[in-house]
Amino acid sequence: MLTKKQVKEIKEHLERAQNPVFFFDNDSDGLCSFLLLQRYVGRGKGVVVKSSPGLIADYFRKVKEFEADYIFVLDKPEVSEEFFEECHKINIPVVWIDHHEVQTKIPDFVSYYNPLLNKGKSYLPTAYLCNQITGKKEDLWLAVIGCIADHLLPDFYSEFEKRYPDLMVSSKDVEEVYYKSQIGKIAQIMNAGMKDRTTNVIQMLKFLIKVKTPYEVLEESSENRLMHERFKHIDGKQRKLIEKAKRGVDDSKFLFFEYSGDLSISADLAGELKYLYPDKIIIVAYNTGAKVNISGRGKKIRDKVLKAIEGFENATGGGHEEAVGVKIKSGDLEEFRNRMEGFVGK
Ligand SMILES: [Mn+2]
């Protein structure tokens, strides 16, 4: 949780910001965090950050393009030093709200909020924190989406369920809600929509900033047609890849699935495989030929994966205790797999 004092401070930042730019992670938690804050203040532009794990200096051009007077960074574990240098040069206030393990040194001029630094290290998605700040009942559904996309059934979930019983499934298992309910489907649609061309993403943001109810998101209309098309396209590919991965499943604790192609969805595949095989250690490797994006899911997976990439040249990544993402060179993939098998047992 954020403290009362932190909530008050962030509200003051939002009120002072006349033309804020919100940089957010390209998943549903990041997107819903942005939507909650933007819809609360009623102003500001959103920028999906595709660089991972950090916000890189290249994005600073957006600050200039929008002539922003305030920067908010949401759901990103890292921000590059160069980005902060640019901020410092023009003296623009920066507010950073996150829930990942702290990875970078935070400059003094940045207002940084992360409940991991407060007492009580509970896991709360950024959308949960943003809902704590805004507290708008009519936007509670957005907070629910951000939370379930980040694997938490929030404590305000029953309140949401009362209001939209038809969008829920009767389960306390968050993955079940994500994969089987209508509200979970919205989380998946948003997730797919962000993996589109920039012009289409901008159109989706415009739609979501104004939309009144979750039903308007679920129902295909002229305003959200591209978003739905993107979802159908990605979901179709995901179904095929999941079927392929299932065929490779055996009795071992370790599920390794490698794929290539034009769609970077290793995190989504790993998440779904974890739902289907909760007792296994899951590794999904998206091999582009030069680099490999690796998503891992499972007990203490972060420690295992970070250990397995030790000594690899140009390897980067991080994440949560049970969900991790790293990038390595293709040439290191075999060694990575061997090491992981060594840790998990074949
Ligand atoms: Mn998050």
Side-chain angles (χ1 to χ4, degrees):
M1 299 274 272
L2 295 167
T3 65
K4 273 193 182 138
K5 185 170 166 275
Q6 289 175 322
V7 168
K8 187 170 166 272
E9 275 176 30
I10 298 169
K11 276 186 171 170
E12 284 165 6
H13 284 301
L14 286 165
E15 275 148 29
R16 271 199 294 272
Q18 290 309 304
N19 186 27
V21 55
F22 299 89
F23 293 102
F24 56 93
D25 192 23
N26 70 333
D27 64 16
S28 299
D29 183 32
L31 172 60
C32 289
S33 300
F34 156 68
L35 292 171
L36 286 164
L37 297 189
Q38 207 282 351
R39 289 161 63 107
Y40 171 74
V41 284
R43 53 186 181 264
K45 299 264 191 333
V47 178
V48 183
V49 178
K50 303 221 169 177
S51 59
S52 175
L55 171 59
I56 57 172
D58 190 38
Y59 280 98
F60 196 78
R61 67 194 152 80
K62 289 286 170 193
V63 176
K64 292 180 182 154
E65 190 185 315
F66 298 144
E67 297 180 345
D69 65 347
Y70 240 95
I71 295 173
F72 290 81
V73 181
L74 306 170
D75 200 27
K76 289 301 288 179
E78 275 181 44
V79 175
S80 79
E81 266 176 53
E82 294 77 23
F83 185 91
F84 279 144
E85 273 165 27
E86 295 294 323
C87 298
H88 200 46
K89 267 187 219 161
I90 62 162
N91 221 351
I92 186 169
V94 182
V95 179
W96 182 4
I97 307 169
D98 189 35
H99 69 130
H100 298 86
E101 260 346 292
V102 189
Q103 296 206 6
T104 17
K105 199 183 164 296
I106 292 129
D108 291 337
F109 71 92
V110 174
S111 305
Y112 182 70
Y113 301 94
N114 185 334
L116 289 180
L117 299 180
N118 303 348
K119 276 183 199 155
K121 294 196 164 189
S122 58
Y123 176 83
L124 296 169
T126 313
Y128 185 101
L129 307 175
C130 290
N131 180 64
Q132 227 196 312
I133 298 158
T134 61
K136 266 175 81 179
K137 288 266 176 276
E138 61 271 35
D139 281 356
L140 198 70
W141 60 281
L142 287 166
V144 170
I145 292 170
C147 286
I148 58 170
D150 250 16
H151 318 287
L152 178 88
L153 220 46
D155 46 14
F156 46 77
Y157 149 84
S158 54
E159 201 180 328
F160 167 84
E161 206 178 16
K162 259 179 236 153
R163 195 160 170 169
Y164 304 106
D166 51 330
L167 299 181
M168 293 304 296
V169 285
S170 55
S171 171
K172 291 275 175 283
D173 173 13
V174 65
E175 306 306 327
E176 187 97 14
V177 173
Y178 184 79
Y179 290 107
K180 300 286 181 221
S181 75
Q182 291 297 298
I183 196 74
K185 189 179 172 188
I186 299 182
Q188 294 177 51
I189 292 173
M190 286 179 172
N191 199 26
M194 270 182 290
K195 293 193 173 83
D196 209 341
R197 265 183 293 157
T198 307
T199 47
N200 297 353
V201 173
I202 290 169
Q203 215 183 89
M204 176 175 84
L205 296 186
K206 276 189 185 153
F207 166 71
L208 292 172
I209 282 168
K210 289 211 189 102
V211 77
K212 294 278 189 304
T213 70
Y215 303 103
E216 289 169 46
V217 185
L218 278 170
E219 211 169 292
E220 201 172 329
S221 65
S222 58
E223 284 166 293
N224 66 24
R225 191 176 49 82
L226 288 172
M227 178 181 88
H228 273 272
E229 270 172 15
R230 188 67 184 161
F231 170 68
K232 280 180 233 163
H233 172 73
I234 291 186
D235 192 56
K237 289 205 171 182
Q238 189 162 331
R239 292 306 112 228
K240 277 191 193 132
L241 288 166
I242 287 289
E243 286 313 310
K244 200 172 166 195
K246 276 179 170 176
R247 289 197 288 274
V249 172
D250 55 23
D251 296 339
S252 78
K253 265 204 81 117
F254 188 46
L255 200 172
F256 181 91
F257 178 62
E258 181 183 346
Y259 80 101
S260 55
D262 57 358
L263 210 52
S264 179
I265 52 168
S266 57
D268 303 302
L269 291 171
E272 188 165 350
L273 289 169
K274 183 70 193 155
Y275 164 64
L276 295 169
Y277 306 102
D279 298 327
K280 289 187 192 289
I281 293 285
I282 314 279
I283 291 290
V284 176
Y286 171 53
N287 197 340
T288 64
K291 278 191 297 183
V292 189
N293 290 353
I294 290 170
S295 294
R297 296 289 181 278
K299 250 202 169 106
K300 301 234 162 87
I301 187 74
R302 182 179 53 203
D303 296 350
K304 291 185 183 91
V305 166
L306 292 182
K307 200 149 187 277
I309 63 168
E310 259 173 32
F312 288 175
E313 205 187 328
N314 297 329
T316 54
H320 302 288
E321 201 177 306
E322 302 197 339
V324 66
V326 293
K327 265 194 192 94
I328 62 173
K329 291 196 297 184
S330 288
D332 290 326
L333 183 58
E334 204 183 317
E335 175 62 17
F336 172 81
R337 183 178 179 168
N338 288 338
R339 288 181 185 178
M340 282 302 295
E341 277 172 357
F343 298 152
V344 183
K346 244 189 126 174

